[in-house]
Structures are given as structure tokens and as C-alpha cells.
């Protein structure tokens, strides 16, 4: 049961995928296998936010892209069971489901990470325009910076037309610049220190 009775849903746009995180148990040695503790989970910035809000009782709709296959089925099924409306999600056969892999050092700090989010290119401006009613019925929009730049622009335009605020997460240092020109139009942004430096620098 929602703890926000009568609340309009928050519309969340962005990535969903499979996360694999390895925390090494000793010094990292390149060119060979390193003992580590490894865990897998469902991730993606937008999907994570959607799940957490839904578990707090807030109505949420997630617009994302997953591949046609077991990983995509599992991600959407798990997220739906958490209370998220995933009916507007896209299923694609053109790319595999999104994947994020990170290696942490002994202290749990990120050493490096790689991701494959090519499929998010299918969350196009046209798809958002075709689902403009989701903006009209929402109380707020949240997006991550995995979205194509043109899709981000369209999301801001549709949110403005609907009269609702926009929040965003820069996602990574390489993606943060996509949001820089939209800073005056953001209600809330959630960067880490590195991303904040990029967004506020010249």
C-alpha cells in the first residue's frame, strides 16, 4: 500500500542492467587473475532509484530499455515485483541488456569500471513523444545521464509542457557534461565530487 495516497507517480527515465562487482582481497596484479569477492545484482541508476522509491511507497513509472532474453526478463520482473510500473519499458533485439562491471580495491573504493549501455540509444525522443501522457500524469521526472543527448532535451521539453520539475543524476564523469547546459532548469541534481567539479567548471 502506498504511503503517499493519491500521489501522482514519479516518471523515471534511464538505464537498467546487470551489475557485477568484484572486491579484490589483496594488491591488484595486472595480467593475471586476482582473488576477489564477487556479487551480482540488478542495477542501472534509473532502475535503482525507481526500486528504492517504490519500496518507500511512492508510485513510480520506469521508462528504460532491456534486451530480449532472460536477463531482460529477470530485471523487469524483479523491478515490477518491487512495485515499479515497467509497462513503458522497451524490449530490444538489437543490443544485449545493459551491463556494468566494477573492480573495487581492498578498502572498497572503485579501482575501475566498464559498462555496456549501447541499448539505451533506443530510448529515443520519438519514444518519449509517443508516451507524452506519462509526463502529463506525473508529479516529477527523474533521469540519468545514460540517455542520449537528444532524448534528454526532449524530456526537458515534455516536462516543461506538463509543468513538472526535473531531477537528474550525472551518472559518471564521462556522462556528466550532457547535463551542464540544463543546470538552470534542474530542480535537483545528485553528483558526486568529481561530477560536481565537471558540472561547475569551465
Amino acid at each position: 500500500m502506498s504511503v503517499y495516497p493519491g500521489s501522482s507517480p514519479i516518471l523515471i527515465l534511464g538505464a537498467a542492467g546487470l551489475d557485477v562487482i568484484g572486491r579484490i582481497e589483496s594488491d591488484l596484479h595486472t595480467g593475471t587473475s586476482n582473488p576477489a569477492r564477487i556479487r551480482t545484482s540488478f542495477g542501472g541508476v534509473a532502475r535503482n532509484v525507481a526500486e528504492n522509491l517504490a519500496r518507500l511507497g511512492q508510485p513510480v513509472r520506469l521508462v528504460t530499455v532491456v534486451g530480449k532474453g532472460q536477463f531482460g526478463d529477470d530485471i523487469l520482473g524483479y523491478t515490477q515485483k518491487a512495485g515499479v510500473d515497467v509497462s513503458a519499458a522497451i524490449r530490444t533485439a538489437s543490443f544485449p541488456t545493459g551491463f556494468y562491471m566494477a573492480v573495487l580495491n581492498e578498502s572498497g573504493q572503485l579501482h575501475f569500471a566498464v559498462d555496456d549501455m549501447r541499448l539505451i540509444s533506443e530510448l529515443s525522443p520519438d519514444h518519449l513523444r509517443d508516451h507524452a501522457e506519462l509526463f502529463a500524469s506525473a508529479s516529477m521526472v527523474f533521469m540519468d545521464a545514460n540517455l542520449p543527448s537528444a532524448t534528454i532535451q526532449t524530456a526537458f521539453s515534455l516536462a516543461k509542457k506538463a509543468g513538472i520539475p526535473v531531477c537528474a543524476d550525472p551518472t559518471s564523469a564521462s556522462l556528466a557534461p550532457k547535463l551542464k547546459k540544463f543546470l538552470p532548469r534542474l530542480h535537483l541534481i545528485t553528483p558526486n565530487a568529481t561530477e560536481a567539479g565537471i558540472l561547475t567548471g569551465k
Side-chain angles (χ1 to χ4, degrees):
M1 180 180 294
S2 173
V3 297
Y4 304 97
S7 174
S8 298
I10 294 176
L11 180 60
I12 299 185
L13 316 171
L18 180 67
D19 288 353
V20 178
I21 311 296
R23 182 169 176 170
I24 60 174
E25 298 182 334
S26 58
D27 292 339
L28 179 65
H29 299 283
T30 60
T32 187
S33 179
N34 290 267
R37 296 182 182 273
I38 299 173
R39 64 175 177 84
T40 61
S41 62
F42 298 129
V45 173
R47 195 217 65 86
N48 290 346
V49 170
E51 179 186 344
N52 287 327
L53 286 173
R55 292 191 184 281
L56 289 171
Q58 168 65 48
V60 180
R61 289 184 178 132
L62 174 65
V63 182
T64 189
V65 189
V66 297
K68 289 185 176 180
Q70 191 63 51
F71 286 153
D73 292 344
D74 290 347
I75 289 169
L76 291 185
Y78 176 87
T79 305
Q80 185 175 36
K81 286 181 180 179
V84 178
D85 180 346
V86 296
S87 59
I90 301 168
R91 302 297 304 271
T92 180
S94 299
F95 301 100
T97 291
F99 194 87
Y100 172 85
M101 182 170 61
V103 174
L104 311 182
N105 63 22
E106 293 176 90
S107 301
Q109 297 173 319
L110 181 64
H111 186 73
F112 70 88
V114 294
D115 67 76
D116 182 352
M117 288 293 173
R118 290 171 294 164
L119 82 173
I120 204 69
S121 64
E122 300 207 359
L123 210 173
S124 65
D126 285 343
H127 185 78
L128 292 191
R129 285 190 285 264
D130 289 343
H131 292 80
E133 75 282 356
L134 297 179
F135 289 81
S137 61
S139 59
M140 177 181 292
V141 174
F142 173 91
M143 69 178 80
D144 69 38
N146 284 294
L147 295 172
S149 295
T151 303
I152 292 174
Q153 177 70 63
T154 300
F156 272 98
S157 297
L158 291 171
K160 182 178 180 179
K161 185 176 181 180
I164 55 176
V166 179
C167 305
D169 188 295
T171 307
S172 71
S174 61
L175 296 175
K178 290 184 181 181
L179 296 176
K180 193 167 184 177
K181 70 177 182 179
F182 298 107
L183 288 177
R185 300 169 65 180
L186 281 168
H187 177 72
L188 174 72
I189 190 166
T190 58
N192 61 25
T194 300
E195 294 158 359
I198 292 169
L199 290 166
T200 57
K202 293 184 178 180

